[in-house]
Amino acid sequence: MRHFIPQSLIMAEPQLQREVEPQLLNGDDVNEEREDADTSESLKKKRRKKKKSKATAPAGSNEAEGSGPSGGVGDVTKQLEQQTLEDKEREEDGEEDGDEGENSSGKKKKKKKKKKGLKGQTDPPSVPICELYPNGDFPKGEECEYPPSKDGRSAAWRTTSDEKRALDMANEEMWSDFRQAAEAHRQVRLYVRSWIKPGMTMIDICEKLEDCSRRLIKENGLKAGLAFPTGCSINHCAAHYTPNAGDPTVLRYDDVCKIDFGTHINGRIIDCAFTVTFNPKYDRLLEAVRDATNTGIKFAGIDVRLCDVGETIQEVMESYEVEIDGKTYQVKPIRNLNGHSIGPYRIHSGKTVPIVKGGEATRMEEGEAYAIETFGSTGRGAVHDDMECSHYMKNFNVGHVPIRLPRAKHLLNVINENFGTLAFCRRWLDRLGESKYLMALKNLCDLGIVDPYPPLCDIKGSYTAQYEHTILLRPTCKEVVSRGDDY
């Protein structure tokens, strides 16, 4: 029907549309959004028509005036003007569409950026550290300059020496393994602090901690896993206590609990510990031990004598007094507990770092790793073996020893496959499905193949606290690799 409408009516149609459109927009509330889009499209079309009419008017006059060769020039200029106008229109339309796209789909774009970024940790923690840092660039610990030598010479030259930098880079893979294990330790202990409370059984505390630690370290046989059983020694017990199956011990409000656990990557062990209390009356005791540990870390370094570190630790710790239940105690370092050097798959690799004066004059060396740990006590300041044994470890230097008992042979195979020369506990043997192994385990201990490490206790009624960090004596600087925001 539209083909038979007179020309005058056709010319009037756009005008009618212009008059009708505002009425529809004002009257129709249901299709508001659709009409907004239509009006924006019509405005774009009108703009294009105006620009084209402006362009054709001068071009037409040129055609009318020119003839022959000059008419060809007019055609060329007309085409060029039209092309430039079309390009401008495309740019304007592109800008408008881009603005609309950013407003309407801005949220989607942000989501895409998040997906491309690093994976974040969950709550509770479940993402392995190696997946949080897929490029292998794990967070460094606290990097410190070495203390000056006794003649006053600064060790700052190590940080700028090309030779020391090259040595440092040559061992980067080893440092990276330590850092990965340390980051797992930091995240696990942060998680533990969020839920540990009085009324929990020690078994529940240890198993919950170890399950999280296994996930974050991405346990993989002897390549990655737990370095030793979770120590949760309470009050007068200073070290080497973890509950055996059936242990009913419950954490109480007035307890002083030492949480000591380790992680490792390729045998590079992080040995790090802290003390948990709920009653503020123990705050001064914890402050004394934490200060003593940090002092030991500060004075440790290449060519430093181990006995000198012990002397500074004792001096700091004994400067503290603590009042508990109306009685004042001088904080004493536990003289027969020490820090130690750490080797691959070997938690105690030969050197000991005393926490009292009068120890060995052996010096620390470049490239070594140490656990700097201090224990403070309100008791005698000395520990002895007590209570049921839970910690065991295969003797690192043992050679071939003939074993008669078949069950002992089987147990040794289980130990070699799952723990190697790393420490383990009876709960871990239970977890592997082993049963009725106590006689076989005793036989391996009697033969000297496996060493027992029973709990170490001060006198009953006393309180003991512990803080510990792992440090790396790198060629360029000292790195407190297990340092965190907590301690």
Side-chain angles (χ1 to χ4, degrees):
M1 293 293 289
R2 232 179 141 126
H3 295 292
F4 299 99
I5 294 171
Q7 189 68 27
S8 61
L9 288 173
I10 293 168
M11 294 296 289
E13 190 178 351
Q15 191 174 355
L16 285 167
Q17 282 180 348
R18 278 195 293 268
E19 291 171 6
V20 172
E21 276 174 2
Q23 293 173 6
L24 287 171
L25 285 164
N26 293 330
D28 193 356
D29 293 332
V30 180
N31 298 319
E32 227 173 2
E33 291 178 3
R34 193 181 299 166
E35 285 170 357
D36 285 342
D38 293 338
T39 51
S40 63
E41 284 295 321
S42 63
L43 285 167
K44 286 179 192 175
K45 285 177 182 176
K46 283 172 193 173
R47 257 190 244 156
R48 288 174 190 163
K49 281 178 183 177
K50 282 178 185 177
K51 285 175 183 175
K52 282 179 183 176
S53 62
K54 282 178 186 177
T56 50
S61 62
N62 284 342
E63 271 182 63
E65 286 170 11
S67 61
S70 62
V73 172
D75 290 338
V76 171
T77 53
K78 182 183 172 183
Q79 286 174 4
L80 286 168
E81 284 171 353
Q82 278 184 333
Q83 191 172 350
T84 53
L85 281 168
E86 284 171 6
D87 290 339
K88 282 180 183 177
E89 283 170 4
R90 280 184 202 137
E91 283 173 9
E92 286 172 6
D93 291 344
E95 283 173 10
E96 287 172 6
D97 293 339
D99 292 340
E100 287 170 12
E102 280 178 15
N103 292 331
S104 61
S105 63
K107 290 179 183 177
K108 289 180 184 177
K109 285 182 180 178
K110 282 180 184 176
K111 282 180 184 175
K112 283 179 184 176
K113 283 179 184 177
K114 281 182 183 177
K115 285 178 185 176
K116 288 177 184 177
L118 291 172
K119 192 184 283 188
Q121 188 54 273
T122 58
D123 185 20
S126 60
V127 182
I129 302 304
C130 59
E131 291 179 18
L132 286 177
Y133 301 92
N135 59 355
D137 188 15
F138 303 105
K140 290 182 179 180
E142 180 190 17
E143 293 182 323
C144 317
E145 190 179 296
Y146 286 112
S149 58
K150 290 218 168 181
D151 57 5
R153 285 182 300 167
S154 170
W157 64 272
R158 286 181 169 274
T159 58
T160 54
S161 166
D162 290 337
E163 182 189 353
K164 296 302 178 186
R165 282 180 177 178
L167 281 169
D168 199 34
M169 286 302 296
N171 290 313
E172 188 59 33
E173 191 176 338
M174 179 172 69
W175 310 140
S176 181
D177 287 344
F178 276 113
R179 288 170 191 147
Q180 184 181 346
E183 182 60 23
H185 197 286
R186 272 189 291 272
Q187 293 193 20
V188 171
R189 72 190 190 226
L190 188 67
Y191 171 59
V192 170
R193 285 177 182 273
S194 71
W195 52 257
I196 192 168
K197 60 184 179 181
M200 296 183 73
T201 65
M202 304 316 293
I203 286 182
D204 287 345
I205 291 168
C206 290
E207 288 185 346
K208 195 171 181 180
L209 184 154
E210 288 166 2
D211 287 344
C212 179
S213 195
R214 286 187 176 100
R215 285 194 300 271
L216 297 199
I217 206 71
K218 201 171 185 180
E219 189 176 39
N220 179 22
L222 293 175
K223 290 183 180 179
L226 309 185
F228 51 84
T230 302
C232 53
S233 308
I234 299 172
N235 299 334
H236 72 287
C237 182
H240 295 175
Y241 164 76
T242 197
N244 289 322
D247 189 330
T249 307
V250 172
L251 185 63
R252 298 168 303 176
Y253 176 76
D254 282 325
D255 285 341
V256 179
C257 181
K258 282 72 66 184
I259 302 293
D260 187 356
F261 70 100
T263 52
H264 83 92
I265 297 289
N266 297 318
R268 306 300 178 181
I269 297 168
I270 293 297
D271 187 0
C272 189
F274 60 98
T275 302
V276 173
T277 58
F278 308 100
N279 194 327
K281 68 182 180 181
Y282 303 115
D283 288 354
R284 188 73 175 160
L285 173 63
L286 270 59
E287 185 187 343
V289 181
R290 188 165 50 240
D291 191 6
T293 298
N294 287 330
T295 301
I297 290 166
K298 182 182 176 182
F299 279 86
I302 296 167
D303 290 333
V304 172
R305 297 192 307 174
L306 297 170
C307 58
D308 293 338
V309 177
E311 189 172 349
T312 56
I313 288 170
Q314 181 177 11
E315 188 179 334
V316 169
M317 195 178 295
E318 289 183 347
S319 69
Y320 282 83
E321 287 184 342
V322 56
E323 186 179 328
I324 300 173
D325 299 331
K327 193 173 179 182
T328 303
Y329 302 89
Q330 183 187 36
V331 182
K332 298 176 184 175
I334 299 178
R335 57 183 176 270
N336 54 343
L337 288 177
N338 309 288
H340 47 89
S341 56
I342 300 173
Y345 295 100
R346 193 178 185 186
I347 188 67
H348 292 195
S349 67
K351 292 183 180 179
T352 59
V353 185
I355 61 174
V356 291
K357 62 182 178 182
E360 296 176 16
T362 313
R363 295 181 186 273
M364 293 178 159
E365 296 175 47
E366 185 180 294
E368 290 181 326
Y370 281 88
I372 304 296
E373 60 181 320
T374 69
F375 295 83
S377 174
T378 61
R380 290 187 307 137
V383 291
H384 58 276
D385 295 351
D386 197 6
M387 305 195 298
E388 185 180 45
C389 187
S390 56
H391 283 55
Y392 299 85
M393 186 166 65
K394 188 183 172 188
N395 189 322
F396 193 85
N397 297 313
V398 73
H400 174 71
V401 178
I403 303 170
R404 289 186 178 182
L405 288 177
R407 289 190 71 84
K409 283 182 182 177
H410 166 74
L411 184 61
L412 182 59
N413 288 334
V414 170
I415 291 167
N416 286 333
E417 286 172 18
N418 293 279
F419 314 119
T421 54
L422 295 172
F424 61 95
C425 63
R426 281 157 58 173
R427 276 187 301 107
W428 291 2
L429 292 174
D430 299 335
R431 186 174 174 270
L432 293 170
E434 294 301 310
S435 61
K436 299 177 181 178
Y437 53 76
L438 288 177
M439 186 64 74
L441 186 57
K442 185 179 182 302
N443 183 238
L444 293 176
C445 291
D446 291 341
L447 291 169
I449 298 169
V450 172
D451 293 323
Y453 291 88
L456 300 170
C457 303
D458 203 332
I459 55 172
K460 286 186 180 179
S462 63
Y463 297 97
T464 60
Q466 174 195 15
Y467 278 94
E468 177 179 22
H469 273 301
T470 298
I471 65 169
L472 309 176
L473 302 186
R474 289 166 46 194
T476 53
C477 65
K478 172 173 56 185
E479 183 176 347
V480 190
V481 69
S482 57
R483 179 77 80 193
D485 294 333
D486 47 358
Y487 66 94

